[in-house]
Amino acid sequence: MQTAADAGDAATLLAAVPAGRRVALVDPRFVGHVHALRLGLTDPRFAAAAVPGALTAQPESRGALLRALRRTTAAVGAGAPVVAPDTDPAPEDRTVPGRIAVALEAEGTAVKRPELGSLTATVPTDAGARATAESARDEVDDEAVRLRSAVKAHDGFFTTFAISPYSRYIARWCARRGLTPNQVTTASLITALVAAGAAATGTRGGYIAAGILLLVSFVLDCTDGQLARYSLQYSTMGAWLDATFDRAKEYAYYAGLAIGAVRGGDDVWVLALGAMVLQACRHVVDFSFNEANHDAVANTSPTAALSDKLDSVGWTVWARRMIVLPIGERWAMIAVLTALTTPRIVFYALLVGCALAACYTTAGRLLRSLTRRASRTDRAAQALADLADSGPLAQGVAAVAPGLRGAFTAPAVALLGTLVMIGGALLLPYGSWLTVAAAAVYVVLSGLAVARPLKGALDWLVPPFFRAGEYVTILVLAARSDAPHAVPAAFGLVSAVAYHHYDTVYRIRGGTGAPPQWLVRTIGGHEGRTALVAVLAAVLTHAAGFTTALTALAVAVALVVLVESIRFWVSSSAPAVHDEGELA
């Protein structure tokens, strides 16, 4: 920290700072809370940020900051206004940092101004204003605000009332001991894996321990995000680890329950894989709908208006959050049922609960899509195309086939292909080459569905239909096979493919686009993998080779997607994406 005599001296001092460092300007008359400065000056997600009387710039914005500071110095020294009256900073921030922030925005550099809520940040110009500001600052507990703002703004009922009231203090404890969010995230994963191992013992004591450890893992899962918000330690790696480990923990726990049940004489692998498939399809419905309407024009509907009205009635907000069975409610249900019942009952409850939640959320999205008039952008269409995960076979069909016209053509064709594929796998004799013929029809219809840009009102349904077509086909063929351990092998394959699909979502959310095309081509696309599994079922009928083939395919897909994903996220400059905490 250095003190500048004037704006010209500040420019000289800033120019001497090494190019790779963040810099900040703070008016020496500043009065406010430390956390207000923390919010304005230490959040790594923004190239430039400001609060009244203070401004910060990341290395990429340093050049623009120096240019703005020099212009400001020249203008102030000449006695002329820095900016035009209609763009002049608010009266409470007619300071050098405030004027520079406006100049940066005029040059095209976005300046983040965080919501301060009850926190004080001001530059008083006389003794009376200073006394008022100091009184306002002293009336608000800075640390209490910081703890409250560490909690996610919109969370589930269980998380909000059963976890966050104390997990925020765990987050503070971690921050004061120098622990990072990534370390807490890793601890949550390890705890969940130990819980899965306890469930795999198949004993009542193991199930009780598994339920308790799963809840501990979830507490840590909440703590890592709260620690990130409390200490403003956001990172690209952290966002990826948090999202990826959630899926890994859940799937590993399902596998642990299935192994434990088998040890107790009850094979529930089909139920475990069914729960995973249903949960993954639920998520892709959410992802596709959100991406389709991320920047839609005229994004309104009577259904959305009704939802806004219901939000004004407090109890309906919590009821609707619980209906969708978010991760907090889902993990609490799994943990309690694991400790008190059997794995079969756990999976039955999951399938029923997730099915009801899927019906509720999908119905609401359908109503919104059908009752709104919205024009989808090219960005939304590209995101849906990326989420579709079309491989070389479907892309080849799309390249030579004329685009089918019609408002609902793409989802109708995708649904028809999915029904043909699943119906063939389920109803035709197992190992029949007619199932392979059904897969060929699926490939053609998949290509036709994406032959035109996905800008229709219901085109966001195309990726979920494809996910269901692939995942359910693998599940059905493995379940109908006489090959030993085919379903556990299918569980591994769907896990590897689902990771690729989740990774695609997180890349799009991070603003970096989908995985490279070479990766999609290498692992075949959804239609290629589905057709390959159908061929393997026909060639390796009633043979243990089917299990070996599924296992080899799972390992190959996992290796390719994991290596590329890790390489990307470790080296990526994608912005960290974190949900905001409660308003300060």
Side-chain angles (χ1 to χ4, degrees):
M1 181 182 296
Q2 300 186 60
T3 302
D6 52 34
D9 188 27
T12 302
L13 291 173
L14 288 175
V17 177
R21 295 184 182 177
R22 172 203 289 267
V23 295
L25 284 173
V26 182
D27 193 293
R29 300 166 297 170
F30 176 88
V31 174
H33 290 96
V34 173
H35 193 52
L37 280 178
R38 188 181 292 113
L39 290 171
L41 303 183
T42 65
D43 194 324
R45 294 173 296 174
F46 310 109
V51 295
L55 169 73
T56 186
Q58 295 272 35
E60 62 267 27
S61 300
R62 285 271 304 276
L65 171 63
L66 284 172
R67 290 191 297 271
L69 180 57
R70 291 182 178 123
R71 289 197 305 271
T72 300
T73 302
V76 171
V82 180
V83 291
D86 60 342
T87 61
D88 204 28
E92 67 272 14
D93 198 19
R94 286 175 178 162
T95 62
V96 170
R99 293 174 183 273
I100 293 174
V102 174
L104 281 173
E105 291 177 319
E107 188 176 318
T109 299
V111 178
K112 173 67 177 180
R113 290 178 170 82
E115 294 286 344
L116 298 180
S118 60
L119 295 174
T120 297
T122 186
V123 179
T125 56
D126 54 52
R130 173 170 288 275
T132 300
E134 290 176 346
S135 176
R137 178 196 61 193
D138 295 340
E139 288 176 357
V140 176
D141 185 343
D142 180 272
E143 181 61 19
V145 171
R146 189 181 181 190
L147 277 171
R148 187 172 69 248
S149 61
V151 177
K152 189 185 292 186
H154 303 289
D155 223 329
F157 181 88
F158 178 78
T159 304
T160 299
F161 294 105
I163 304 296
S164 293
Y166 59 87
S167 61
R168 69 184 74 182
Y169 295 101
I170 300 175
R172 182 173 67 181
W173 184 90
C174 293
R176 291 178 175 178
R177 282 153 184 81
L179 297 176
T180 66
N182 289 353
Q183 290 171 332
V184 178
T185 301
T186 303
S188 175
L189 173 66
I190 293 172
T191 305
L193 294 178
V194 174
T201 63
T203 64
R204 178 50 51 195
Y207 290 148
I208 294 174
I212 294 173
L213 288 170
L214 188 64
L215 288 177
V216 172
S217 174
F218 182 65
V219 171
L220 293 174
D221 186 53
C222 296
T223 300
D224 63 1
Q226 291 167 356
L227 174 59
R229 288 183 285 272
Y230 180 86
S231 56
L232 299 178
Q233 297 184 72
Y234 301 111
S235 68
T236 299
M237 177 66 73
W240 172 66
L241 287 178
D242 187 48
T244 302
F245 283 4
D246 278 349
R247 305 284 77 78
K249 288 181 288 189
E250 193 161 7
Y251 296 165
Y253 194 80
Y254 290 177
L257 280 175
I259 293 171
V262 170
R263 286 187 170 182
D266 187 15
D267 190 342
V268 296
W269 272 107
V270 170
L271 296 178
L273 181 50
M276 183 172 73
V277 168
L278 181 55
Q279 187 61 23
C281 290
R282 272 190 63 201
H283 281 153
V284 79
V285 167
D286 296 337
F287 298 147
S288 293
F289 179 81
N290 291 335
E291 290 302 324
N293 297 283
H294 181 270
D295 49 5
V297 180
N299 196 5
T300 59
S301 74
T303 307
L306 175 61
S307 179
D308 292 339
K309 289 182 179 179
L310 289 174
D311 284 343
S312 64
V313 183
W315 69 268
T316 66
V317 175
W318 294 115
R320 286 185 293 139
R321 289 185 189 178
M322 292 173 69
I323 289 173
V324 300
L325 204 63
I327 188 170
E329 277 74 0
R330 193 167 67 252
W331 281 30
M333 180 183 72
I334 294 171
V336 171
L337 291 178
T338 298
L340 300 179
T341 64
T342 65
R344 179 172 291 273
I345 293 177
V346 173
F347 287 124
Y348 280 152
L350 266 175
L351 289 168
V352 172
C354 290
L356 291 175
C359 290
Y360 171 78
T361 55
T362 305
R365 284 159 172 67
L366 285 170
L367 286 173
R368 289 183 182 227
S369 299
L370 293 172
T371 57
R372 68 166 39 131
R373 293 181 179 179
S375 299
R376 268 72 183 188
T377 63
D378 291 337
R379 176 199 175 281
Q382 183 60 52
L384 291 180
D386 292 335
L387 290 174
D389 191 34
S390 300
L393 297 178
Q395 290 176 359
V397 173
V400 300
L404 300 176
R405 298 182 179 275
F408 308 125
T409 300
V413 172
L415 175 60
L416 177 60
T418 297
L419 293 176
V420 168
M421 186 67 257
I422 295 176
L426 188 62
L427 301 176
L428 292 172
Y430 178 79
S432 169
W433 284 94
L434 290 176
T435 305
V436 177
V441 173
Y442 177 72
V443 169
V444 173
L445 293 177
S446 297
L448 292 176
V450 297
R452 292 177 61 83
L454 298 175
K455 292 187 176 183
L458 296 180
D459 284 0
W460 56 269
L461 286 169
V462 171
F465 286 150
F466 288 162
R467 293 299 81 75
E470 179 179 6
Y471 296 170
V472 176
T473 296
I474 295 172
L475 166 61
V476 170
L477 290 177
R480 296 187 66 192
S481 170
D482 289 336
H485 310 301
V487 179
F491 188 97
L493 175 57
V494 173
S495 297
V497 174
Y499 175 86
H500 163 63
H501 290 143
Y502 281 110
D503 186 54
T504 301
V505 170
Y506 302 138
R507 294 197 195 203
I508 294 173
R509 282 184 170 182
T512 60
Q517 274 299 302
W518 71 259
L519 175 66
V520 177
R521 289 194 296 269
T522 300
I523 60 176
H526 72 94
E527 80 292 347
R529 291 186 298 270
T530 305
L532 177 59
V533 172
V535 171
L536 291 175
V539 172
L540 303 173
T541 305
H542 305 306
F546 185 54
T547 298
T548 302
L550 289 179
T551 303
L553 182 58
V555 171
V557 171
L559 283 176
V560 173
V561 300
L562 281 173
V563 169
E564 161 56 21
S565 177
I566 293 171
R567 181 210 63 78
F568 170 79
W569 287 106
V570 169
S571 62
S572 172
S573 59
V577 180
H578 279 271
D579 292 325
E580 296 292 342
E582 297 288 353
L583 182 63

